[in-house]
Amino acid sequence: MHITFTDKKLRKIANDDRVMMKKLGRLRADKFKKRLDQLKFATNLEDVRYLPGKYHELKNDRKGQWACDLDQPYRLIFAPHEDPIPTNEDGQYMWNEMFGVEILEIINYHKEK
């Protein structure tokens, strides 16, 4: 899959191991790298759906975004490049029709509430 980043800072963290370790710490950096590799080597979002990392759709004010686990409670948040996001006749997202993602943030979104 094609991966883009919402800002330069995230792109730098993802592409510079030294910066990644400094900003995220070893455990989170290792998980972040693993998740990026899973996404990069997938053909579409369906390919990662059942991999370790609990890839899942978000709801409410984050509808249209996805998350996967890093180190608890942190998540990697991303959104598909497709606009509009492909859905079936029941309104469910079609994971197999999403071929690229934009990395939005690394966050503990449960803390936002």
Side-chain angles (χ1 to χ4, degrees):
M1 267 197 304
H2 181 66
I3 299 173
T4 58
F5 298 88
T6 195
D7 62 34
K8 291 178 187 177
K9 190 162 90 172
L10 269 173
R11 185 173 51 245
K12 182 159 179 77
I13 290 170
N15 292 303
D16 185 328
D17 288 348
R18 197 179 104 256
V19 173
M20 186 187 302
M21 289 292 184
K22 183 177 180 183
K23 297 285 185 183
L24 302 179
R26 176 166 300 283
L27 179 60
R28 193 170 307 141
D30 288 346
K31 292 282 186 163
F32 181 53
K33 255 180 128 164
K34 186 176 198 163
R35 301 299 174 243
L36 287 177
D37 284 345
Q38 289 172 333
L39 290 166
K40 182 170 58 172
F41 293 114
T43 302
N44 56 49
L45 205 49
E46 183 70 26
D47 290 347
V48 299
R49 189 174 195 169
Y50 301 106
L51 291 179
K54 298 180 183 175
Y55 289 84
H56 59 284
E57 302 169 17
L58 298 179
K59 301 184 240 179
N60 302 324
D61 61 332
R62 287 191 175 268
K63 187 168 176 60
Q65 297 178 356
W66 273 250
C68 60
D69 291 348
L70 294 177
D71 57 318
Q72 292 294 339
Y74 287 89
R75 307 287 193 280
L76 177 64
I77 310 298
F78 57 93
H81 286 161
E82 287 72 20
D83 186 19
I85 299 172
T87 57
N88 64 19
E89 60 277 351
D90 295 325
Q92 297 168 319
Y93 291 128
M94 299 183 67
W95 290 51
N96 63 334
E97 292 187 17
M98 297 178 221
F99 302 100
V101 295
E102 180 170 45
I103 304 299
L104 304 174
E105 62 185 332
I106 295 170
I107 191 170
N108 172 6
Y109 58 74
H110 294 293
K111 193 175 181 178
E112 293 176 352
K113 296 177 182 178

